[in-house]
Amino acid sequence: VTHPMHEAFKHNAFQMLVAVVLSQRATDAMTIPVSIQLFKRAPTAQKLANMPLKEIETIIRPIGFYHAKALAIQKLAHVLVEQYRGNVPSTESALLALPQVGRKTANIMLTLFFDTPQIAVDVHVHRITQRLGWITSNSPEETEVKLTALIPKKFIYDVNRIFVRHGQKICKPISPKCSVCP
């Protein structure tokens, strides 16, 4: 099963990166259609960098935090244009140097777009692996290191996708549905 973000943007690293940044604190179900609308107007880093901020805000408003996210993705687009000719770098260190790109976003890009599987640890992955007793960790970074040592490489691609879905539907932070947990 493929990741919905990968299905929507698998042919364009710039669009995938911007969509992943927009998905922070939003669902893929909301982010993907909003991103598609944005990319109809600004399909490249250059076009997004030159787009009026108010127009970006209007398009991305449904996903929340639209003012901060509009500023962030426009800044990201400027950096991509100025430093990478509008292309998305394919190394972990270069991705992490981009504005608004942390470990989770870099790992998602490396796994879904650049075929360099990394475990993207978000709140769901962090919470569930500890509840299962797989690891004990105080931070997502520590969870990533421990899971990378624990999970066989062939399953790394699936960890984030499966655990996010499980965390949203069953292993919720409050009132988890343990009675139906597989």
Side-chain angles (χ1 to χ4, degrees):
V1 179
T2 59
H3 191 285
M5 198 72 77
H6 186 246
E7 269 311 298
F9 306 109
K10 65 185 170 190
H11 299 295
N12 190 306
F14 164 72
Q15 291 180 6
M16 172 87 96
L17 179 61
V18 170
V20 172
V21 169
L22 288 174
S23 76
Q24 296 166 0
R25 300 199 292 187
T27 65
D28 287 349
M30 182 60 77
T31 302
I32 292 170
V34 167
S35 296
I36 289 169
Q37 289 305 309
L38 176 65
F39 301 138
K40 284 180 182 175
R41 282 280 298 116
T44 66
Q46 184 69 59
K47 289 189 178 181
L48 183 61
N50 294 335
M51 193 172 179
L53 189 61
K54 289 286 183 205
E55 189 175 350
I56 298 170
E57 289 177 347
T58 299
I59 295 169
I60 69 168
R61 184 180 210 117
I63 61 172
F65 305 100
Y66 64 93
H67 182 67
K69 286 183 178 184
L71 284 168
I73 63 172
Q74 193 167 54
K75 182 178 179 182
L76 174 61
H78 279 288
V79 170
L80 291 173
V81 168
E82 291 164 9
Q83 294 181 16
Y84 299 99
R85 291 189 223 138
N87 298 312
V88 175
S90 61
T91 66
E92 179 181 48
S93 60
L95 284 166
L96 289 171
L98 294 172
Q100 220 50 40
V101 176
R103 290 212 57 84
K104 177 186 158 198
T105 299
N107 286 351
I108 288 171
M109 287 300 295
L110 289 167
T111 300
L112 297 182
F113 201 85
F114 297 114
D115 200 30
T116 309
Q118 306 289 321
I119 296 176
V121 176
D122 62 5
V123 294
H124 302 292
V125 174
H126 184 67
R127 177 180 66 250
I128 294 167
T129 54
Q130 295 204 65
R131 279 186 179 166
L132 290 172
W134 290 6
I135 60 158
T136 302
S137 161
N138 293 315
S139 70
E141 293 79 16
E142 187 181 355
T143 298
E144 179 187 338
V145 169
K146 289 182 175 185
L147 281 179
T148 299
L150 180 69
I151 304 288
K153 196 154 186 79
K154 67 181 180 179
F155 297 122
I156 285 178
Y157 173 84
D158 299 313
V159 171
N160 182 268
R161 178 182 50 81
I162 290 168
F163 279 43
V164 167
R165 189 175 303 139
H166 186 67
Q168 291 169 339
K169 301 205 180 292
I170 295 174
C171 197
K172 299 178 179 192
I174 299 170
S175 302
K177 299 176 181 177
C178 298
S179 62
V180 296
C181 180

